[in-house]
Amino acid sequence: MRVKIEIVNGLPETEVLIRCGQLDESVILLQDHITKQGSSKRCLPLKRGDTEYYVPINQIYFFETEGKEIFAHTAEQLFGCSYKLYELEELLPGGFMRISKSTIANLDYIYSITRNLAASSLAEFKDSNKTVMVSRSYYKAVLERLRERHLKI
């Protein structure tokens, strides 16, 4: 493995690019390690009422849309979010994934997925009674990512 560091003046955020011949377990572990280093300290500005909170990204279970509003869910709280889902997809670390048209979930907190062949499947979260729907079009990709993440434990 070759490691290169390139210093770019004026870069707004540090960017890590991994080039590989194939996606294997070592590359996934490297990505997860790098992602966790940066995301554990990063916070998102979220609102509840007139108060703005700075919530660590690693405490967020999922984001979902309700009408035109987007909400961030932690284990016990609900916050309003000013970002659009497509913006969150760009901002969030690799542990987050779109699981339906209206939801992005933190894969580290998904405890189970109950498959429903006729409709969306149901995802449950660790240490919470919250659930979200996994649409049929995202189901296989979500299972693959979950298996990749949890096989290394």
Side-chain angles (χ1 to χ4, degrees), residues 102-115:
S102 61
T103 307
I104 296 174
N106 185 339
L107 300 178
D108 290 335
Y109 288 112
I110 292 181
Y111 176 72
S112 69
I113 298 180
T114 304
R115 186 169 188 189

Side-chain angles (χ1 to χ4, degrees), residues 63-93:
F63 296 88
E64 70 176 345
T65 59
E66 286 184 24
K68 292 188 179 205
E69 295 186 77
I70 296 180
F71 294 97
H73 294 257
T74 64
E76 298 175 0
Q77 297 180 317
L78 175 69
F79 299 93
C81 180
S82 61
Y83 293 100
K84 304 289 185 211
L85 284 183
Y86 70 88
E87 294 172 323
L88 288 168
E89 282 183 298
E90 294 293 319
L91 286 171
L92 294 169

Side-chain angles (χ1 to χ4, degrees), residues 23-134:
L23 186 62
D24 59 21
E25 186 177 348
S26 65
V27 174
I28 293 168
L29 287 170
L30 182 60
Q31 177 199 15
D32 284 347
H33 179 73
I34 292 168
T35 300
K36 286 180 181 174
Q37 296 306 306
S39 67
S40 63
K41 297 174 184 103
R42 288 181 40 207
C43 295
L44 273 181
L46 303 172
K47 284 193 160 204
R48 192 168 56 230
D50 292 331
T51 305
E52 186 161 282
Y53 296 88
Y54 298 91
V55 179
I57 290 174
N58 63 355
Q59 290 182 11
I60 298 171
Y61 280 44
F62 62 95
F63 296 88
E64 70 176 345
T65 59
E66 286 184 24
K68 292 188 179 205
E69 295 186 77
I70 296 180
F71 294 97
H73 294 257
T74 64
E76 298 175 0
Q77 297 180 317
L78 175 69
F79 299 93
C81 180
S82 61
Y83 293 100
K84 304 289 185 211
L85 284 183
Y86 70 88
E87 294 172 323
L88 288 168
E89 282 183 298
E90 294 293 319
L91 286 171
L92 294 169
F96 285 84
M97 180 180 183
R98 176 86 67 137
I99 63 170
S100 73
K101 183 178 170 186
S102 61
T103 307
I104 296 174
N106 185 339
L107 300 178
D108 290 335
Y109 288 112
I110 292 181
Y111 176 72
S112 69
I113 298 180
T114 304
R115 186 169 188 189
N116 184 341
L117 294 174
S120 296
S121 301
L122 185 69
E124 297 180 77
F125 293 90
K126 299 174 188 172
D127 303 321
S128 175
N129 61 355
K130 296 182 180 190
T131 60
V132 294
M133 302 308 277
V134 179

Side-chain angles (χ1 to χ4, degrees), residues 10-28:
L11 195 65
E13 182 179 27
T14 299
E15 175 182 341
V16 177
L17 171 66
I18 301 172
R19 290 193 178 123
C20 56
Q22 65 182 25
L23 186 62
D24 59 21
E25 186 177 348
S26 65
V27 174
I28 293 168

